[in-house]
Structure formats: structure tokens, C-alpha cells
Short mmCIF file of all heavy atoms in Angstrom, two decimals:
data_model
loop_
_atom_site.label_atom_id
_atom_site.label_comp_id
_atom_site.label_asym_id
_atom_site.label_seq_id
_atom_site.Cartn_x
_atom_site.Cartn_y
_atom_site.Cartn_z
N MET E 1 -3.75 26.34 -14.89
CA MET E 1 -3.68 26.62 -13.38
C MET E 1 -2.90 25.46 -12.80
O MET E 1 -3.40 24.29 -13.02
CB MET E 1 -5.18 26.67 -12.97
CG MET E 1 -5.24 26.89 -11.42
SD MET E 1 -7.02 27.22 -11.08
CE MET E 1 -7.13 27.03 -9.44
N PRO E 2 -1.88 25.61 -11.96
CA PRO E 2 -1.21 24.47 -11.42
C PRO E 2 -2.11 23.77 -10.42
O PRO E 2 -2.96 24.47 -9.76
CB PRO E 2 0.09 25.18 -10.77
CG PRO E 2 -0.26 26.66 -10.65
CD PRO E 2 -1.33 27.01 -11.72
N GLN E 3 -1.84 22.53 -10.26
CA GLN E 3 -2.59 21.71 -9.41
C GLN E 3 -1.92 21.76 -8.08
O GLN E 3 -0.70 21.92 -7.96
CB GLN E 3 -2.68 20.22 -9.78
CG GLN E 3 -3.47 20.07 -10.99
CD GLN E 3 -3.55 18.60 -11.36
OE1 GLN E 3 -2.71 17.83 -11.24
NE2 GLN E 3 -4.83 18.23 -11.77
N GLU E 4 -2.73 21.71 -7.04
CA GLU E 4 -2.10 21.53 -5.57
C GLU E 4 -1.61 20.15 -5.58
O GLU E 4 -2.07 19.20 -6.25
CB GLU E 4 -3.30 21.74 -4.58
CG GLU E 4 -3.88 23.11 -4.76
CD GLU E 4 -3.45 24.11 -3.83
OE1 GLU E 4 -2.94 23.78 -2.88
OE2 GLU E 4 -3.62 25.30 -4.18
N ALA E 5 -0.68 19.93 -4.51
CA ALA E 5 -0.04 18.67 -4.40
C ALA E 5 -1.18 17.48 -4.18
O ALA E 5 -1.01 16.41 -4.59
CB ALA E 5 0.85 18.68 -3.24
N GLY E 6 -2.22 17.92 -3.50
CA GLY E 6 -3.24 16.89 -3.07
C GLY E 6 -4.19 16.53 -4.18
O GLY E 6 -5.18 15.86 -3.96
N ASP E 7 -4.14 17.24 -5.42
CA ASP E 7 -5.05 17.18 -6.44
C ASP E 7 -4.81 15.85 -7.29
O ASP E 7 -5.68 15.37 -7.99
CB ASP E 7 -5.18 18.34 -7.29
CG ASP E 7 -5.81 19.59 -6.63
OD1 ASP E 7 -6.34 19.30 -5.62
OD2 ASP E 7 -5.66 20.61 -7.15
N ASP E 8 -3.53 15.46 -7.23
CA ASP E 8 -3.21 14.34 -8.18
C ASP E 8 -3.85 12.95 -7.55
O ASP E 8 -3.85 12.74 -6.36
CB ASP E 8 -1.68 14.05 -8.07
CG ASP E 8 -1.00 15.14 -8.87
OD1 ASP E 8 -1.56 15.79 -9.73
OD2 ASP E 8 0.22 15.33 -8.53
N PRO E 9 -4.52 12.24 -8.45
CA PRO E 9 -5.09 11.06 -8.06
C PRO E 9 -4.13 9.96 -7.48
O PRO E 9 -3.01 9.91 -8.07
CB PRO E 9 -5.92 10.50 -9.21
CG PRO E 9 -5.14 11.09 -10.37
CD PRO E 9 -4.64 12.40 -9.85
N ALA E 10 -4.40 9.29 -6.49
CA ALA E 10 -3.55 8.20 -6.09
C ALA E 10 -3.60 7.02 -6.94
O ALA E 10 -4.61 6.83 -7.59
CB ALA E 10 -3.92 7.86 -4.61
N THR E 11 -2.67 6.26 -7.04
CA THR E 11 -2.61 4.99 -7.80
C THR E 11 -2.28 3.79 -6.90
O THR E 11 -1.54 3.94 -5.93
CB THR E 11 -1.55 5.00 -8.97
OG1 THR E 11 -0.37 5.12 -8.42
CG2 THR E 11 -1.94 6.14 -9.96
N MET E 12 -2.95 2.70 -7.16
CA MET E 12 -2.68 1.42 -6.51
C MET E 12 -2.43 0.33 -7.52
O MET E 12 -3.44 -0.04 -8.34
CB MET E 12 -3.85 1.09 -5.59
CG MET E 12 -3.55 -0.03 -4.72
SD MET E 12 -4.82 -0.09 -3.41
CE MET E 12 -4.77 -1.81 -2.96
N VAL E 13 -1.27 -0.15 -7.50
CA VAL E 13 -0.92 -1.20 -8.74
C VAL E 13 -0.49 -2.46 -8.05
O VAL E 13 0.37 -2.46 -7.26
CB VAL E 13 0.33 -0.68 -9.49
CG1 VAL E 13 0.74 -1.59 -10.58
CG2 VAL E 13 -0.03 0.82 -10.03
N PRO E 14 -1.24 -3.52 -8.43
CA PRO E 14 -0.78 -4.89 -7.98
C PRO E 14 0.49 -5.25 -8.77
O PRO E 14 0.62 -5.08 -10.04
CB PRO E 14 -1.93 -5.81 -8.23
CG PRO E 14 -2.62 -5.15 -9.49
CD PRO E 14 -2.38 -3.58 -9.24
N THR E 15 1.51 -5.81 -8.03
CA THR E 15 2.69 -6.28 -8.84
C THR E 15 2.60 -7.83 -8.94
O THR E 15 1.87 -8.45 -8.15
CB THR E 15 3.95 -5.86 -8.23
OG1 THR E 15 3.94 -6.30 -6.70
CG2 THR E 15 4.07 -4.33 -8.17
N SER E 16 3.39 -8.45 -9.72
CA SER E 16 3.36 -9.76 -9.95
C SER E 16 3.78 -10.58 -8.87
O SER E 16 5.00 -10.45 -8.47
CB SER E 16 4.18 -10.10 -11.21
OG SER E 16 4.13 -11.54 -11.45
N ASP E 17 2.97 -11.17 -8.05
CA ASP E 17 3.25 -12.02 -6.90
C ASP E 17 3.88 -11.25 -5.71
O ASP E 17 4.62 -11.82 -4.86
CB ASP E 17 4.16 -13.28 -7.28
CG ASP E 17 3.48 -14.09 -8.32
OD1 ASP E 17 2.28 -14.17 -8.34
OD2 ASP E 17 4.12 -14.87 -9.02
N ASP E 18 3.73 -9.91 -5.70
CA ASP E 18 4.29 -9.12 -4.73
C ASP E 18 3.25 -8.12 -4.18
O ASP E 18 2.09 -8.25 -4.50
CB ASP E 18 5.50 -8.26 -5.43
CG ASP E 18 6.71 -9.03 -5.50
OD1 ASP E 18 7.01 -9.85 -4.75
OD2 ASP E 18 7.36 -8.83 -6.56
N PRO E 19 3.60 -7.11 -3.33
CA PRO E 19 2.63 -6.22 -2.73
C PRO E 19 1.98 -5.31 -3.69
O PRO E 19 2.35 -5.13 -4.84
CB PRO E 19 3.40 -5.47 -1.72
CG PRO E 19 4.75 -5.54 -2.20
CD PRO E 19 4.95 -6.79 -2.92
N TYR E 20 0.98 -4.62 -3.19
CA TYR E 20 0.33 -3.44 -3.92
C TYR E 20 1.25 -2.29 -3.82
O TYR E 20 1.76 -1.95 -2.56
CB TYR E 20 -1.04 -3.05 -3.31
CG TYR E 20 -2.19 -4.08 -3.56
CD1 TYR E 20 -2.65 -4.88 -2.57
CD2 TYR E 20 -2.57 -4.20 -4.93
CE1 TYR E 20 -3.57 -5.73 -2.74
CE2 TYR E 20 -3.69 -5.02 -5.09
CZ TYR E 20 -4.23 -5.91 -4.06
OH TYR E 20 -5.11 -6.73 -4.27
N LEU E 21 1.61 -1.50 -4.80
CA LEU E 21 2.22 -0.28 -4.70
C LEU E 21 1.30 0.98 -4.83
O LEU E 21 0.50 0.99 -5.70
CB LEU E 21 3.34 -0.25 -5.92
CG LEU E 21 4.32 -1.23 -6.03
CD1 LEU E 21 5.16 -1.17 -7.25
CD2 LEU E 21 5.13 -1.49 -4.74
N VAL E 22 1.29 1.71 -3.81
CA VAL E 22 0.49 2.82 -3.65
C VAL E 22 1.23 4.24 -3.82
O VAL E 22 2.16 4.30 -3.04
CB VAL E 22 -0.40 2.77 -2.36
CG1 VAL E 22 -1.30 4.01 -2.29
CG2 VAL E 22 -1.18 1.62 -2.18
N ARG E 23 0.82 5.02 -4.73
CA ARG E 23 1.56 6.30 -4.84
C ARG E 23 0.45 7.42 -4.90
O ARG E 23 -0.57 7.30 -5.55
CB ARG E 23 2.43 6.36 -6.13
CG ARG E 23 3.38 5.14 -6.25
CD ARG E 23 4.60 5.32 -5.32
NE ARG E 23 5.60 4.34 -5.36
CZ ARG E 23 5.64 3.25 -4.50
NH1 ARG E 23 4.74 3.15 -3.51
NH2 ARG E 23 6.66 2.42 -4.64
N GLY E 24 0.93 8.53 -4.19
CA GLY E 24 -0.01 9.65 -4.21
C GLY E 24 -0.31 10.03 -2.78
O GLY E 24 0.13 9.51 -1.79
N ASN E 25 -0.94 11.16 -2.51
CA ASN E 25 -1.24 11.60 -1.12
C ASN E 25 -2.40 10.79 -0.65
O ASN E 25 -3.48 10.80 -1.12
CB ASN E 25 -1.63 13.12 -1.17
CG ASN E 25 -0.51 14.01 -1.57
OD1 ASN E 25 0.52 13.88 -1.00
ND2 ASN E 25 -0.72 14.95 -2.41
N VAL E 26 -1.97 9.90 0.28
CA VAL E 26 -2.94 8.88 0.83
C VAL E 26 -3.00 8.89 2.28
O VAL E 26 -1.85 9.12 2.94
CB VAL E 26 -2.51 7.41 0.34
CG1 VAL E 26 -3.33 6.39 0.91
CG2 VAL E 26 -2.52 7.38 -1.18
N THR E 27 -4.17 8.74 2.84
CA THR E 27 -4.36 8.69 4.19
C THR E 27 -4.84 7.14 4.46
O THR E 27 -5.84 6.84 3.98
CB THR E 27 -5.37 9.63 4.78
OG1 THR E 27 -5.00 10.92 4.53
CG2 THR E 27 -5.61 9.42 6.30
N LEU E 28 -4.09 6.43 5.21
CA LEU E 28 -4.46 5.14 5.57
C LEU E 28 -5.23 5.04 6.90
O LEU E 28 -4.77 5.68 7.87
CB LEU E 28 -3.25 4.16 5.72
CG LEU E 28 -2.39 3.91 4.44
CD1 LEU E 28 -1.19 3.01 4.82
CD2 LEU E 28 -3.16 3.28 3.35
N SER E 29 -6.27 4.40 6.96
CA SER E 29 -7.10 4.28 8.22
C SER E 29 -7.53 2.89 8.20
O SER E 29 -7.62 2.10 7.41
CB SER E 29 -8.24 5.28 8.09
OG SER E 29 -9.07 5.06 7.09
N ASP E 30 -7.83 2.57 9.53
CA ASP E 30 -8.35 1.11 9.78
C ASP E 30 -9.84 1.04 9.51
O ASP E 30 -10.44 2.02 9.13
CB ASP E 30 -7.96 0.71 11.17
CG ASP E 30 -8.68 1.49 12.32
OD1 ASP E 30 -9.61 2.13 11.99
OD2 ASP E 30 -8.09 1.31 13.49
N GLY E 31 -10.43 -0.07 9.78
CA GLY E 31 -11.74 -0.36 9.41
C GLY E 31 -12.74 0.53 10.22
O GLY E 31 -13.91 0.78 9.98
N ASP E 32 -12.26 1.16 11.43
CA ASP E 32 -13.07 2.00 12.26
C ASP E 32 -12.74 3.52 11.94
O ASP E 32 -13.28 4.30 12.68
CB ASP E 32 -12.65 1.70 13.70
CG ASP E 32 -13.15 0.27 14.25
OD1 ASP E 32 -14.17 -0.15 13.66
OD2 ASP E 32 -12.41 -0.38 15.06
N GLY E 33 -11.98 3.74 10.98
CA GLY E 33 -11.64 5.17 10.57
C GLY E 33 -10.48 5.72 11.37
O GLY E 33 -10.35 6.92 11.26
N ASN E 34 -9.81 4.94 12.19
CA ASN E 34 -8.66 5.45 12.93
C ASN E 34 -7.52 5.61 12.00
O ASN E 34 -7.06 4.73 11.28
CB ASN E 34 -8.33 4.56 14.10
CG ASN E 34 -9.49 4.41 15.05
OD1 ASN E 34 -10.03 5.35 15.51
ND2 ASN E 34 -9.92 3.17 15.35
N LEU E 35 -6.89 6.76 12.12
CA LEU E 35 -5.70 7.05 11.24
C LEU E 35 -4.52 6.02 11.55
O LEU E 35 -4.22 5.79 12.70
CB LEU E 35 -5.11 8.45 11.48
CG LEU E 35 -3.83 8.99 10.75
CD1 LEU E 35 -4.12 9.05 9.26
CD2 LEU E 35 -3.38 10.20 11.39
N ILE E 36 -4.02 5.41 10.50
CA ILE E 36 -2.82 4.59 10.62
C ILE E 36 -1.61 5.53 10.20
O ILE E 36 -0.70 5.59 10.92
CB ILE E 36 -2.88 3.36 9.62
CG1 ILE E 36 -4.07 2.60 10.13
CG2 ILE E 36 -1.51 2.68 9.63
CD1 ILE E 36 -4.28 1.42 9.07
N GLU E 37 -1.65 6.14 9.06
CA GLU E 37 -0.57 6.97 8.53
C GLU E 37 -0.96 7.87 7.37
O GLU E 37 -1.88 7.31 6.60
CB GLU E 37 0.57 6.00 8.10
CG GLU E 37 1.95 6.61 7.99
CD GLU E 37 2.98 5.61 7.69
OE1 GLU E 37 3.04 4.65 8.55
OE2 GLU E 37 3.65 5.69 6.70
N ARG E 38 -0.36 8.92 7.18
CA ARG E 38 -0.49 9.73 5.94
C ARG E 38 0.91 9.70 5.20
O ARG E 38 1.93 9.83 5.94
CB ARG E 38 -0.88 11.11 6.25
CG ARG E 38 -2.27 11.25 6.83
CD ARG E 38 -2.59 12.75 6.80
NE ARG E 38 -4.01 12.94 7.15
CZ ARG E 38 -4.30 13.19 8.47
NH1 ARG E 38 -3.49 13.45 9.27
NH2 ARG E 38 -5.64 13.28 8.80
N GLY E 39 0.78 9.53 3.96
CA GLY E 39 2.08 9.52 3.19
C GLY E 39 1.87 9.55 1.61
O GLY E 39 0.68 9.68 1.28
N THR E 40 2.96 9.23 0.98
CA THR E 40 2.85 9.36 -0.49
C THR E 40 3.38 8.08 -1.15
O THR E 40 3.14 7.89 -2.37
CB THR E 40 3.63 10.53 -0.98
OG1 THR E 40 5.00 10.34 -0.64
CG2 THR E 40 3.07 11.77 -0.62
N ARG E 41 3.97 7.12 -0.52
CA ARG E 41 4.40 5.84 -1.02
C ARG E 41 4.24 4.79 -0.08
O ARG E 41 4.80 4.81 1.19
CB ARG E 41 5.92 6.03 -1.42
CG ARG E 41 6.21 7.14 -2.40
CD ARG E 41 7.68 7.33 -2.56
NE ARG E 41 8.38 6.23 -3.17
CZ ARG E 41 8.48 5.99 -4.37
NH1 ARG E 41 7.99 6.77 -5.34
NH2 ARG E 41 9.10 4.89 -4.85
N TYR E 42 3.59 3.67 -0.46
CA TYR E 42 3.37 2.60 0.36
C TYR E 42 3.57 1.26 -0.45
O TYR E 42 3.22 1.28 -1.64
CB TYR E 42 1.99 2.54 0.98
CG TYR E 42 1.70 3.71 1.92
CD1 TYR E 42 0.94 4.64 1.39
CD2 TYR E 42 1.99 3.78 3.15
CE1 TYR E 42 0.53 5.88 2.10
CE2 TYR E 42 1.74 4.78 4.05
CZ TYR E 42 1.10 5.78 3.53
OH TYR E 42 0.70 6.89 4.40
N THR E 43 3.87 0.21 0.26
CA THR E 43 3.80 -1.07 -0.29
C THR E 43 2.83 -1.83 0.72
O THR E 43 3.11 -1.88 1.98
CB THR E 43 5.08 -1.89 -0.33
OG1 THR E 43 5.83 -1.81 0.88
CG2 THR E 43 5.99 -1.22 -1.46
N LEU E 44 1.70 -2.22 0.20
CA LEU E 44 0.70 -2.84 1.13
C LEU E 44 0.56 -4.33 0.80
O LEU E 44 0.63 -4.78 -0.35
CB LEU E 44 -0.72 -2.22 0.83
CG LEU E 44 -0.77 -0.74 1.11
CD1 LEU E 44 -2.21 -0.23 0.75
CD2 LEU E 44 -0.43 -0.36 2.55
N CYS E 45 0.51 -5.07 1.96
CA CYS E 45 0.54 -6.48 1.83
C CYS E 45 -0.79 -7.03 1.09
O CYS E 45 -1.89 -6.49 1.34
CB CYS E 45 0.41 -7.14 3.22
SG CYS E 45 0.28 -8.99 3.32
N ARG E 46 -0.64 -7.97 0.26
CA ARG E 46 -1.80 -8.51 -0.48
C ARG E 46 -1.75 -10.08 -0.31
O ARG E 46 -2.57 -10.76 -0.81
CB ARG E 46 -1.86 -8.18 -1.96
CG ARG E 46 -0.60 -8.65 -2.81
CD ARG E 46 -0.55 -8.15 -4.11
NE ARG E 46 -1.59 -8.64 -5.04
CZ ARG E 46 -1.29 -9.04 -6.23
NH1 ARG E 46 -0.14 -8.74 -6.77
NH2 ARG E 46 -2.24 -9.46 -6.98
N CYS E 47 -0.77 -10.66 0.53
CA CYS E 47 -0.66 -12.09 0.54
C CYS E 47 -1.34 -12.49 2.01
O CYS E 47 -1.71 -13.62 2.09
CB CYS E 47 0.76 -12.52 0.67
SG CYS E 47 1.66 -12.15 2.06
N GLY E 48 -1.51 -11.53 2.97
CA GLY E 48 -2.05 -11.86 4.16
C GLY E 48 -1.05 -12.36 5.32
O GLY E 48 -1.43 -12.83 6.43
N HIS E 49 0.16 -12.51 4.85
CA HIS E 49 1.23 -13.15 5.84
C HIS E 49 2.13 -12.02 6.46
O HIS E 49 3.00 -12.46 7.36
CB HIS E 49 2.19 -14.06 5.03
CG HIS E 49 1.42 -15.24 4.57
ND1 HIS E 49 1.14 -16.36 5.33
CD2 HIS E 49 0.90 -15.58 3.32
CE1 HIS E 49 0.54 -17.21 4.62
NE2 HIS E 49 0.37 -16.85 3.36
N SER E 50 1.94 -10.81 6.15
CA SER E 50 2.75 -9.79 6.81
C SER E 50 2.65 -9.66 8.39
O SER E 50 1.51 -9.87 8.83
CB SER E 50 2.49 -8.40 6.22
OG SER E 50 3.23 -7.38 6.90
N GLY E 51 3.80 -9.51 9.14
CA GLY E 51 3.73 -9.36 10.42
C GLY E 51 3.58 -7.84 10.79
O GLY E 51 3.54 -7.56 12.01
N ASN E 52 3.40 -6.95 9.80
CA ASN E 52 3.44 -5.61 9.98
C ASN E 52 2.18 -5.02 9.17
O ASN E 52 2.35 -4.08 8.52
CB ASN E 52 4.60 -4.90 9.69
CG ASN E 52 4.58 -3.46 10.01
OD1 ASN E 52 4.05 -2.95 10.94
ND2 ASN E 52 5.40 -2.71 9.24
N LYS E 53 1.01 -5.70 9.10
CA LYS E 53 -0.07 -5.28 8.31
C LYS E 53 -0.53 -3.83 8.73
O LYS E 53 -0.47 -3.49 9.81
CB LYS E 53 -1.33 -6.15 8.55
CG LYS E 53 -0.98 -7.56 7.87
CD LYS E 53 -2.15 -8.39 8.16
CE LYS E 53 -1.91 -9.95 7.69
NZ LYS E 53 -1.97 -10.86 8.63
N PRO E 54 -0.89 -2.97 7.68
CA PRO E 54 -1.22 -3.40 6.29
C PRO E 54 -0.05 -3.30 5.37
O PRO E 54 -0.17 -3.49 4.19
CB PRO E 54 -2.35 -2.32 6.00
CG PRO E 54 -1.78 -1.06 6.68
CD PRO E 54 -1.33 -1.54 8.04
N PHE E 55 1.18 -3.10 5.97
CA PHE E 55 2.32 -2.97 5.20
C PHE E 55 2.90 -4.28 4.74
O PHE E 55 2.92 -5.25 5.58
CB PHE E 55 3.32 -2.04 5.84
CG PHE E 55 2.78 -0.77 6.25
CD1 PHE E 55 2.42 -0.47 7.62
CD2 PHE E 55 2.47 0.18 5.31
CE1 PHE E 55 1.92 0.61 7.97
CE2 PHE E 55 1.94 1.42 5.74
CZ PHE E 55 1.60 1.57 7.09
N CYS E 56 3.61 -4.43 3.69
CA CYS E 56 4.38 -5.55 3.26
C CYS E 56 5.62 -5.60 3.97
O CYS E 56 6.37 -4.65 4.09
CB CYS E 56 4.71 -5.53 1.74
SG CYS E 56 5.75 -6.79 1.11
N ASP E 57 5.89 -6.82 4.57
CA ASP E 57 7.27 -6.98 5.30
C ASP E 57 8.15 -8.02 4.46
O ASP E 57 9.03 -8.60 5.11
CB ASP E 57 7.17 -7.18 6.69
CG ASP E 57 6.44 -8.63 6.97
OD1 ASP E 57 6.15 -9.29 6.04
OD2 ASP E 57 6.43 -8.98 8.23
N ASN E 58 7.69 -8.30 3.30
CA ASN E 58 8.39 -9.35 2.43
C ASN E 58 8.06 -10.77 2.88
O ASN E 58 8.69 -11.75 2.42
CB ASN E 58 9.82 -9.14 2.37
CG ASN E 58 10.12 -7.98 1.37
OD1 ASN E 58 9.56 -7.85 0.37
ND2 ASN E 58 11.12 -7.15 1.71
N SER E 59 7.16 -11.02 3.84
CA SER E 59 6.97 -12.37 4.21
C SER E 59 6.20 -13.25 2.99
O SER E 59 6.32 -14.38 3.02
CB SER E 59 5.78 -12.34 5.30
OG SER E 59 6.40 -11.76 6.53
N HIS E 60 5.78 -12.40 2.00
CA HIS E 60 5.16 -13.16 0.85
C HIS E 60 6.23 -13.90 0.19
O HIS E 60 5.89 -15.00 -0.43
CB HIS E 60 4.62 -12.09 -0.15
CG HIS E 60 5.67 -11.20 -0.71
ND1 HIS E 60 5.90 -9.96 -0.09
CD2 HIS E 60 6.35 -11.14 -1.76
CE1 HIS E 60 6.81 -9.24 -0.83
NE2 HIS E 60 7.15 -10.12 -1.84
N VAL E 61 7.53 -13.71 0.28
CA VAL E 61 8.51 -14.48 -0.36
C VAL E 61 8.60 -15.75 0.39
O VAL E 61 8.60 -16.73 -0.33
CB VAL E 61 9.86 -13.68 -0.26
CG1 VAL E 61 10.95 -14.53 -0.82
CG2 VAL E 61 9.82 -12.44 -1.01
N LEU E 62 8.72 -15.80 1.60
CA LEU E 62 8.77 -17.11 2.41
C LEU E 62 7.57 -18.01 2.32
O LEU E 62 7.45 -19.10 2.25
CB LEU E 62 9.03 -16.74 3.88
CG LEU E 62 10.45 -16.39 4.23
CD1 LEU E 62 10.69 -16.08 5.72
CD2 LEU E 62 11.43 -17.42 3.88
N ALA E 63 6.42 -17.23 2.27
CA ALA E 63 5.08 -17.91 2.06
C ALA E 63 4.83 -18.48 0.68
O ALA E 63 3.94 -19.20 0.46
CB ALA E 63 3.94 -16.91 2.37
N GLY E 64 5.68 -18.13 -0.32
CA GLY E 64 5.57 -18.52 -1.59
C GLY E 64 4.19 -17.98 -2.28
O GLY E 64 3.63 -18.62 -3.02
N PHE E 65 3.92 -16.77 -1.89
CA PHE E 65 2.59 -16.22 -2.54
C PHE E 65 2.71 -16.00 -3.99
O PHE E 65 3.67 -15.49 -4.54
CB PHE E 65 2.45 -14.77 -1.85
CG PHE E 65 1.31 -14.03 -2.42
CD1 PHE E 65 -0.02 -14.32 -2.24
CD2 PHE E 65 1.54 -13.03 -3.19
CE1 PHE E 65 -1.10 -13.63 -2.62
CE2 PHE E 65 0.46 -12.24 -3.88
CZ PHE E 65 -0.91 -12.66 -3.50
N THR E 66 1.68 -16.45 -4.52
CA THR E 66 1.37 -16.25 -6.00
C THR E 66 0.04 -15.46 -6.17
O THR E 66 -0.95 -15.97 -5.57
CB THR E 66 1.48 -17.50 -6.85
OG1 THR E 66 0.51 -18.40 -6.37
CG2 THR E 66 2.85 -18.13 -6.79
N ALA E 67 -0.02 -14.54 -6.98
CA ALA E 67 -1.16 -13.82 -7.22
C ALA E 67 -2.11 -14.64 -7.95
O ALA E 67 -1.74 -15.38 -8.83
CB ALA E 67 -0.86 -12.55 -8.00
N PRO E 68 -3.54 -14.56 -7.60
CA PRO E 68 -4.46 -15.30 -8.39
C PRO E 68 -4.64 -14.74 -9.83
O PRO E 68 -4.30 -13.64 -10.06
CB PRO E 68 -5.77 -15.01 -7.57
CG PRO E 68 -5.56 -13.86 -6.73
CD PRO E 68 -3.99 -13.71 -6.69
S1 FES S 101 2.60 -9.01 0.15
FE1 FES S 101 4.49 -8.77 1.14
S2 FES S 101 4.13 -9.58 3.16
FE2 FES S 101 2.22 -9.74 2.17
#
């Protein structure tokens, strides 16, 4: 039986000293449950320096972020 598009599990992969790569049908919401965006591909900030949180804007490069 074929799976529906929304049945595939999403994945979230930390990259070496770079953002999280998220793939799959994902709904992003803030801490209050308000919708940010629905999509299938994201790069999410893990350094805390992005000016466009929760998304990575490559500020991690200038900040010299290194993953713990
Ligand atoms: S990980 Fe890229 S701006 Fe934070």
C-alpha cells in the first residue's frame, strides 16, 4: 500500500559546525503554538546568532560557531 506524502517521518540532522538540516513534511510553530511555516526542507539555526531565527542565515560562520 503506497504511503501518503505526510506519512514519511521527518529527519533532523546536525551538521558539523553548521545548522540543523530538517527534511520531511514539517510544521514549524513557536513556543505558543503559533504557525511559523509549513514546508519540507529547512536549515535551522543551532548557533543562536541568526538574525532570522529559527532559520540559519549563515551568521554561524562569522560567529565562528563550533558544535559541542
Ligand atoms: S547555525 Fe547558521 S546562523 Fe546559526
Side-chain angles (χ1 to χ4, degrees):
M1 177 171 169
Q3 292 186 322
E4 304 262 337
D7 289 346
D8 291 337
T11 60
M12 184 167 162
V13 177
T15 57
S16 178
D17 300 335
D18 284 323
Y20 291 109
L21 302 179
V22 179
R23 301 292 181 261
N25 288 315
V26 175
T27 300
L28 295 179
S29 56
D30 66 16
D32 294 323
N34 300 307
L35 176 68
I36 297 174
E37 192 172 308
R38 288 190 179 101
T40 57
R41 299 174 63 89
Y42 296 102
T43 53
L44 298 180
C45 178
R46 65 190 282 224
C47 75
H49 294 281
S50 175
N52 188 31
K53 291 179 184 124
F55 307 104
C56 172
D57 67 358
N58 285 321
S59 294
H60 62 271
V61 176
L62 286 176
F65 173 73
T66 57

